[in-house]
């Protein structure tokens, strides 16, 4: 709610209802708390990406895993809103975020290859287009929390926001879908 720079370890301990000394015993600096929360977020996101990789057996597999991925980001909204500043302040976070982006790009690439192989997506018509589309897909995944915080005007519930941005993810690939893919897409979104 207040941003990383505006919160002290003392205020965190008060909000948690524990003594400042107890908090400092486990996390001597506020930065240690931030790192722990960031790596918790990444661990949960990593689990969702692994699940995404395991579930590639049809078009509708994406809905559950991607929705859960967006829900993880919603859960760690306070980190997601400040991740650019954290990456600037903490070289280990920047390095980890870069590695995760590369790994997740491989996962989404594999997902696209599967969709093409199974006839849900068209072959790439313009060389390099899918590489850019995958980057866009990851950019939406990484930045939707920030967009929602500033620009989202739909229903205020967390579920409605997640559903809106999930549909935004799918709409980014919709033009690349085959008739089979569009049919599956329409079954997921009702038209």
């Amino acid at each position: 709610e207040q941003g990383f720079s505006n919160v002290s370890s003392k205020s965190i301990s008060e909000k948690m209802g524990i003594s400042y000394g107890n908090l400092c015993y486990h996390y001597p600096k506020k930065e240690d708390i931030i790192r722990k929360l960031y790596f918790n977020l990444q661990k949960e996101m990593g689990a969702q990406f692994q699940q995404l990789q395991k579930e590639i057996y049809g078009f509708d597999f994406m809905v559950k895993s991607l929705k859960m991925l967006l829900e993880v980001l919603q859960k760690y909204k306070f980190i997601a809103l400040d991740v650019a500043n954290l990456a600037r302040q903490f070289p280990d976070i920047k390095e980890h975020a870069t590695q995760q982006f590369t790994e997740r790009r491989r996962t989404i690439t594999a997902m696209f290859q599967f969709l093409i192989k199974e006839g849900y997506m068209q072959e790439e018509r313009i060389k390099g287009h899918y590489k850019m589309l995958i980057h866009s897909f990851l950019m939406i995944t990484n930045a939707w929390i920030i967009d929602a915080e500033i620009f989202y005007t739909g229903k205020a519930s967390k579920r409605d926001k997640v559903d809106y941005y999930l549909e935004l993810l799918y709409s980014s690939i919709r033009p690349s879908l085959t008739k089979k893919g569009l049919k599956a897409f329409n079954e997921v979104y009702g038209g």
Side-chain angles (χ1 to χ4, degrees), residues 90-153:
F90 303 106
D92 59 330
I93 288 179
K94 182 176 182 175
E95 181 181 338
H96 186 266
T98 303
Q99 290 169 351
Q100 291 302 303
F101 183 84
T102 300
E103 188 176 307
R104 290 169 185 161
R105 183 174 45 217
R106 276 190 231 118
T107 299
I108 301 300
T109 299
M111 182 180 78
F112 276 31
Q113 289 168 345
F114 172 81
L115 292 173
I116 291 167
K117 179 181 166 216
E118 295 299 315
Y120 290 102
M121 253 177 115
Q122 303 169 16
E123 291 286 338
E124 184 176 51
R125 290 177 279 172
I126 301 168
K127 186 172 173 55
H129 173 71
Y130 283 169
K131 182 178 179 182
M132 298 302 283
L133 186 57
I134 289 165
H135 190 115
S136 298
F137 198 87
L138 289 166
M139 195 167 64
I140 292 168
T141 303
N142 291 327
W144 78 272
I145 289 284
I146 296 165
D147 187 87
E149 189 73 12
I150 301 168
F151 304 114
Y152 178 76
T153 58

Side-chain angles (χ1 to χ4, degrees), residues 17-77:
I18 63 172
S19 72
Y20 176 68
N22 190 18
L23 179 66
C24 289
Y25 175 78
H26 295 285
Y27 301 100
K29 299 181 292 200
K30 178 173 74 170
E31 290 80 4
D32 298 328
I33 297 169
I34 295 300
R35 279 188 176 90
K36 180 67 173 168
L37 291 170
Y38 169 81
F39 286 108
N40 283 352
L41 163 64
Q42 292 304 322
K43 183 178 178 181
E44 287 189 42
M45 283 183 62
Q48 290 309 314
F49 270 97
Q50 284 180 341
Q51 190 64 31
L52 187 63
Q53 258 182 323
K54 290 178 188 174
E55 291 184 352
I56 297 178
Y57 54 80
F59 186 83
D60 61 343
F61 78 92
M62 290 189 291
V63 175
K64 182 180 174 188
S65 291
L66 287 173
K67 187 171 187 167
M68 290 175 74
L69 176 66
L70 296 186
E71 287 171 350
V72 167
L73 284 162
Q74 178 71 38
K75 176 180 169 184
Y76 288 92
K77 173 182 168 181

